[in-house]
Amino acid sequence: MKRKILAFVSACAVVLSACSSNGAADKEITETASEAVMSNIAEEMVMPDISDNFLQELYIAKKRGKALVKRVEDTAATDGSALLIYNRIESWNGAEYDCEKFRGNDINVKGSFRSAGASVRVSIQYDINGNTSYNSICTVKTNNDSYSEVNGDFTVPDNAEKIIVYIESDTLDDIYTDNFSIRTIGEYKYIAEVGDIDFADTSAYPSLKELYGDYFRMGIAISPTIAANKDYSAFVCRQFNSVTMENNFKPEAVLDHNKTVSDVEKYMESPALSFEHLRTELDFARDNGMTVRGHTLVWHSQTPEWLFYKNYAVGDELADRELMLKRMENYIKSVMEWSNENYPGLISSWDVVNEAADDNNKMRESLWYKTIGEDYIEQAFAFARKYAPEGTKLFYNDYNSYMPSKQNCILGFLKPVAEQGNLDGVGMQSHINTEIGVGTFMSALEKYHSELGVEIQITELDVAVKKGDGWEEKQGDYYGSFLSALVDEQKKGVPVTSVTVWGLTDSMSWKAADHPLLMNDDLTPKPAFEAVVKAAE
Ligand code: G3I
């Protein structure tokens, strides 16, 4: 069935100005399209304009997750008042805004934040055909003394539903928010409702896993919805022979906070875990003969902060090295054991440590680093080797890992791991763009192999491109050269063993604003898909 836009009316027929932060609305109609249509939808067509300055108790922001929000006096804020977001027990807990009326519109988001050094992020969540995507709109590094401003634009897809813009951060610190707004850029479009997507018949598309079968596995990041949906899953099965769970194998998804804190003594050295949510994706992979990249065990992000506190109470006393080593060992052991007992042989590789280098090319001072010390990476790999079933490949995975100074930092801390025999591969995430030299990237790839003696996987490929004349072809050319170069590396004897794209369609990507993937929403191929096919042929 065609995806129907039941009511779409361009706001050029109407000039509407409405909705101040305290809900007052007035409208002025200068020209009417059709009286009948107008009378039905005039109410909904009021241009959404969210603007919170937190001067009064009547603000629009709502709490997200377990976080709480309240208006507070704050001398650092404009006009002396702000929204305090507190009681955050997971990094995505924050404040949120219902943005359903922004469907199909270009939006601008502005805000200013104060927090103890956290990177505060404004993100957007929406469903496309039942699949929830989480996108970052803009991020700002904060400090405790003054407000840091952030400003970003985003195009909300026409077929997005359950649209929410929210404030989150990479720590659990309180976030003070001031002057937050979400506004339409340019002309407002009102789209009342969306129907089903009319998916293309993908059965005759050339198959990437077959085309690249002599060189490497072709993989894709999935969600439970992709695994469960017949159109998406049929396409994925035909095209790919490796999958990565985009979010569900991360510590945040596996660690069970409620159970752990229900008996702190019992779980002191081995936090409680839950795995049932993984079954849809793992069953899908097993039943369709795919392998799985396990992503990820030890990471600074999407790992709840409570894990690092002695009694699992954030803000209390941090756990010491000995206790954290026990928790790390037990976590890795339990994940390996559960996976092997329930899905023997399915997980071919694990991203044991993810993103341990920071953006200043030093070891990231994460809570793993702070509690255990510099050798936490070696320890993690040693535990992974101890408990991984034989043949499971152990990877270090990072973004911007092709950049020479970041690469030097990474090589520095991976050499001892390789010498101990605990490193099998380097995962180059590859969230790249069309301006990055393919030659530079391949030189870095060769260096990881030659200096560490390990295999390489491209683990999270997406290629951002700026929209403009010929943007899709430009992106296609880049994808084509990138894949050809990887094949050349293989032919030269550099073991590139898999290439994973980070998602299925552009609107479902974590970077939807950059249109970085291979497929359109209805699974028609973008020039990028065609170029990847051509590069293999
Ligand atoms: O986890 C909560 C979930 O429990 C809750 O129900 C839901 C609704 O409130 O929010 C969820 O949080 C979101 C999470 O995805 C879903 O697991 C976060 O807000 C959102 O920021 C998060 O985004 C993910 C991001 O990692 C987080 O860093 C993206 O989907 C995912 O594509 C992205 O993937 C990472 C790789 O793992 C590592 N390399 C970089 C890459 C891109 O950031």
Side-chain angles (χ1 to χ4, degrees):
M1 208 207 315
K2 249 254 163 306
R3 182 156 263 231
K4 277 186 234 124
I5 295 172
L6 297 183
F8 163 83
V9 182
S10 163
C12 63
V14 192
V15 175
L16 299 165
S17 77
C19 280
S20 71
S21 58
N22 33 18
D26 65 306
K27 51 192 176 211
E28 179 196 338
I29 299 178
T30 56
E31 202 184 313
T32 47
S34 138
E35 296 225 344
V37 174
M38 285 312 303
S39 61
N40 286 338
I41 61 174
E43 203 42 50
E44 288 85 350
M45 280 186 63
V46 171
M47 187 192 296
D49 180 350
I50 291 174
S51 173
D52 258 351
N53 54 23
F54 310 110
L55 274 175
Q56 296 108 19
E57 280 304 335
L58 213 55
Y59 49 81
I60 306 164
K62 288 189 284 195
K63 65 186 245 32
R64 179 173 175 85
K66 293 248 163 71
L68 298 172
V69 293
K70 67 176 175 196
R71 194 186 80 86
V72 289
E73 304 293 314
D74 180 18
T75 49
T78 326
D79 300 319
S81 59
L83 184 78
L84 172 63
I85 306 171
Y86 62 109
N87 195 45
R88 302 175 59 233
I89 64 155
E90 303 206 55
S91 58
W92 57 272
N93 292 179
E96 66 178 35
Y97 292 87
D98 175 1
C99 287
E100 204 64 7
K101 285 188 179 172
F102 288 105
R103 176 183 302 124
N105 285 271
D106 292 336
I107 58 170
N108 171 262
V109 175
K110 277 192 191 132
S112 35
F113 306 105
R114 188 166 80 73
S115 186
S119 285
V120 175
R121 182 160 68 211
V122 183
S123 302
I124 182 165
Q125 163 187 334
Y126 51 75
D127 284 11
I128 302 266
N129 199 36
N131 186 68
T132 311
S133 302
Y134 305 93
N135 278 266
S136 156
I137 301 180
C138 44
T139 308
V140 67
K141 183 92 181 144
T142 57
N143 67 77
N144 233 340
D145 306 324
S146 59
Y147 279 79
S148 309
E149 282 180 26
V150 78
N151 185 344
D153 297 341
F154 190 83
T155 302
V156 185
D158 283 358
N159 49 6
E161 294 169 287
K162 301 186 184 160
I163 305 156
I164 291 169
V165 167
Y166 61 102
I167 297 160
E168 58 180 341
S169 84
D170 61 348
T171 72
L172 298 187
D173 293 321
D174 294 350
I175 304 171
Y176 290 81
T177 303
D178 195 13
N179 296 330
F180 192 82
S181 67
I182 308 168
R183 296 197 167 107
T184 308
I185 303 170
E187 199 175 273
Y188 175 61
K189 292 194 281 181
Y190 170 65
I191 302 176
E193 222 180 290
V194 290
D196 298 331
I197 295 181
D198 184 11
F199 285 107
D201 176 2
T202 61
S203 59
Y205 294 1
S207 158
L208 299 183
K209 70 178 180 194
E210 285 166 19
L211 289 168
Y212 286 92
D214 289 343
Y215 306 110
F216 33 73
R217 280 185 181 271
M218 288 300 291
I220 183 165
I222 59 163
S223 64
T225 320
I226 290 178
N229 173 285
K230 80 173 176 23
D231 297 283
Y232 293 147
S233 63
F235 174 79
V236 168
C237 291
R238 219 167 283 127
Q239 295 294 331
F240 300 97
N241 47 16
S242 168
V243 289
T244 307
M245 264 105 264
E246 184 172 0
N247 283 306
N248 274 341
F249 240 140
K250 294 173 177 174
E252 171 185 271
V254 172
L255 284 158
D256 188 332
H257 179 255
N258 289 345
K259 199 163 169 193
T260 303
V261 296
S262 71
D263 193 341
V264 170
E265 279 313 310
K266 177 176 170 194
Y267 295 111
M268 181 57 78
E269 293 187 349
S270 186
L273 309 180
S274 62
F275 295 102
E276 289 311 304
H277 63 285
L278 283 156
R279 289 201 182 270
T280 308
E281 290 157 285
L282 291 175
D283 286 355
F284 169 70
R286 181 198 54 205
D287 298 347
N288 293 291
M290 297 160 163
T291 58
V292 172
R293 296 198 77 264
H295 175 75
T296 176
L297 295 168
V298 174
W299 190 22
H300 70 281
S301 174
Q302 287 185 282
T303 303
E305 214 166 305
W306 54 262
L307 177 67
F308 300 92
Y309 284 85
K310 187 175 165 200
N311 293 316
Y312 299 117
V314 175
D316 216 348
E317 189 187 344
L318 276 177
D320 61 18
R321 171 180 164 90
E322 201 191 337
L323 181 55
M324 277 319 292
L325 280 171
K326 283 265 178 278
R327 287 183 188 170
M328 177 191 263
E329 174 165 9
N330 285 322
Y331 181 78
I332 292 174
K333 176 174 185 262
S334 308
V335 173
M336 295 287 184
E337 283 177 357
W338 182 88
S339 305
N340 201 37
E341 275 161 24
N342 290 274
Y343 297 91
L346 186 62
I347 302 180
S348 57
S349 54
W350 267 104
D351 289 334
V352 177
V353 176
N354 200 39
E355 302 175 2
D358 70 13
D359 295 331
N360 299 313
N361 311 313
K362 296 213 204 60
M363 267 185 86
R364 190 186 295 279
E365 293 187 10
S366 66
L367 283 166
W368 286 115
Y369 176 97
K370 284 184 182 148
T371 52
I372 294 180
E374 267 192 29
D375 66 338
Y376 86 90
I377 299 175
E378 286 170 58
Q379 299 282 353
F381 277 95
F383 293 139
R385 184 64 92 212
K386 184 169 169 192
Y387 297 110
E390 220 179 309
T392 310
K393 299 284 176 81
L394 306 183
F395 274 74
Y396 174 76
N397 191 47
D398 214 331
Y399 65 92
N400 289 349
S401 46
Y402 67 92
M403 291 180 170
S405 28
K406 186 151 183 180
Q407 177 166 45
N408 287 339
C409 167
I410 294 171
L411 286 171
F413 59 65
L414 286 187
K415 273 187 183 151
V417 184
E419 281 158 17
Q420 288 151 18
N422 292 334
L423 183 74
D424 301 311
V426 168
M428 300 179 76
Q429 292 187 3
S430 314
H431 298 292
I432 50 181
N433 63 66
T434 51
E435 306 308 312
I436 292 167
V438 173
T440 309
F441 190 101
M442 297 304 149
S443 306
L445 182 152
E446 287 174 15
K447 193 167 172 186
Y448 283 118
H449 170 60
S450 61
E451 299 224 350
L452 299 169
V454 297
E455 63 184 74
I456 311 294
Q457 297 190 345
I458 304 300
T459 52
E460 305 181 14
L461 179 62
D462 50 26
V463 180
V465 63
K466 286 220 165 17
K467 268 198 174 166
D469 279 354
W471 69 273
E472 287 200 286
E473 285 65 34
K474 183 177 176 187
Q475 183 185 47
D477 290 349
Y478 192 92
Y479 262 109
S481 331
F482 192 77
L483 267 293
S484 297
L486 291 172
V487 168
D488 290 345
E489 292 299 331
Q490 248 312 346
K491 287 181 179 162
K492 278 199 271 182
V494 182
V496 179
T497 51
S498 89
V499 176
T500 296
V501 286
W502 202 242
L504 181 50
T505 69
D506 278 351
S507 323
M508 287 156 74
S509 158
W510 73 292
K511 276 170 92 180
D514 295 327
H515 344 283
L517 294 172
L518 303 179
M519 308 307 292
N520 292 312
D521 281 354
D522 59 358
L523 297 181
T524 49
K526 287 172 61 186
F529 178 81
E530 284 157 3
V532 173
V533 166
K534 200 158 157 234
E537 287 167 350

